[in-house]
Amino acid sequence: MPIKSLFENAVFNWVLISSIVILMIITNGILALKTIEDLSSTQNSLYNTGDIIVELDDLHNLVLMAETGQRGYLLTEITEYLTPYQDALGRLCAQLNDTKKLRSEVPGQAKRIASLILLVEQKINELTKTVELALAEKEKSALKQVMTGRGRDLYKELRAELEQIKTLEINYRNSLFTVLSAVEREAKATFIISGITSALLLLGLAFFAKLNARSEAKHRLQLEQQNEMLAEKVAMRTKELTLYSD
């Protein structure tokens, strides 16, 4: 069948239009779902790495608070310093439990976080031991323990490990922001493509509607011509029969 005849066929036109509409809906739906999934995944990763950074900062601050309380009590033997020390120590233990639940998406971070937790636990033991010696009226032993530099060395290791973990998380967060920007640009492109395809679809519908109108007009003209021919033949036959009967 010639292509021109196909386009003049109303059934073919509507089947073609329906196929194009379904194809466009499926395509736009797939693009929209992919964009939503990418945005959701990136945002979840951003929330996760942000939580890790906040938890690490809280852990670091509590270590500093506990150490400040310990040093204050050892130097002054004023019991008021024990209150912030004990408060920080209690919160530090709870914070450690939260830190153990962290799940980083950065390769190798699980081992680094485990190493950090071990260092914090060692630091807690060092703080607790010196304060217990002081409370047992063994201030000289406690100060001697502090002067060994073990607590200072632990803090340096702890801080170095913590800074490395934070730096990696911040770098990863920055890369996620780059990904998020790319996904947003992709979403805009998808929206533009969807708008263009919708406009083309409307033009296609108008084109096929015009073809159908032309086809219907042509068929109507053909029917009118056939009717006129039939009317002429009937008139001629009637005239012949009239003459024959006369």
Side-chain angles (χ1 to χ4, degrees), residues 2-234:
I3 294 176
K4 186 176 180 182
S5 300
L6 277 176
F7 281 109
E8 289 176 353
N9 187 307
V11 175
F12 172 78
N13 285 343
W14 287 114
V15 169
L16 183 59
I17 291 170
S18 300
S19 300
I20 293 173
V21 170
I22 292 170
L23 179 62
M24 295 309 302
I25 290 172
I26 292 173
T27 302
N28 289 335
I30 291 172
L31 289 173
L33 284 174
K34 182 181 180 301
T35 301
I36 291 170
E37 287 176 1
D38 289 344
L39 281 171
S40 177
S41 175
T42 305
Q43 287 175 344
N44 288 337
S45 295
L46 279 170
Y47 291 143
N48 183 57
T49 192
D51 287 342
I52 290 172
I53 292 170
V54 170
E55 292 291 343
L56 291 175
D57 282 337
D58 289 344
L59 185 68
H60 188 200
N61 290 334
L62 287 170
V63 169
L64 289 175
M65 288 172 62
E67 189 173 50
T68 300
Q70 176 228 34
R71 295 295 174 86
Y73 176 70
L74 292 178
L75 291 173
T76 63
E77 298 184 14
I78 298 174
T79 55
E80 282 78 1
Y81 279 99
L82 285 176
T83 301
Y85 161 78
Q86 291 168 344
D87 177 62
L89 203 62
R91 291 167 59 193
L92 187 55
C93 293
Q95 187 63 38
L96 266 180
N97 291 329
D98 292 339
T99 306
K100 290 176 182 177
K101 297 175 184 177
L102 297 178
R103 296 293 180 269
S104 176
E105 297 176 14
V106 178
Q109 286 289 67
K111 289 183 179 179
R112 296 186 191 96
I113 291 174
S115 175
L116 175 65
I117 290 170
L118 182 61
L119 288 170
V120 172
E121 288 174 343
Q122 290 175 359
K123 182 62 179 175
I124 291 173
N125 289 335
E126 183 266 334
L127 294 173
T128 304
K129 184 176 180 180
T130 53
V131 171
E132 287 177 350
L133 285 171
L135 289 172
E137 297 183 355
K138 296 179 181 179
E139 290 83 359
K140 289 184 180 180
S141 297
L143 289 172
K144 185 177 179 181
Q145 181 73 27
V146 172
M147 294 304 293
T148 61
R150 174 59 179 160
R152 182 183 65 252
D153 292 340
L154 276 173
Y155 177 73
K156 286 182 178 179
E157 290 181 52
L158 183 155
R159 182 176 178 180
E161 192 72 49
L162 188 142
E163 289 299 327
Q164 183 183 13
I165 296 170
K166 274 187 61 178
T167 299
L168 290 170
E169 289 296 332
I170 290 170
N171 291 339
Y172 180 58
R173 183 180 62 183
N174 292 339
S175 70
L176 288 174
F177 280 125
T178 303
V179 171
L180 187 61
S181 297
V183 173
E184 287 175 349
R185 288 195 297 270
E186 215 174 280
K188 290 178 182 178
T190 301
F191 179 76
I192 292 170
I193 292 170
S194 179
I196 291 172
T197 53
S198 297
L200 291 174
L201 185 59
L202 289 174
L203 290 174
L205 289 171
F207 173 74
F208 284 117
K210 188 175 181 180
L211 280 180
N212 284 333
R214 285 182 180 178
S215 179
E216 289 176 3
K218 184 178 179 180
H219 289 157
R220 188 165 52 249
L221 181 60
Q222 288 175 346
L223 286 173
E224 289 174 354
Q225 290 174 346
Q226 288 177 358
N227 288 336
E228 288 176 2
M229 290 175 63
L230 287 172
E232 289 176 1
K233 288 181 179 180
V234 169

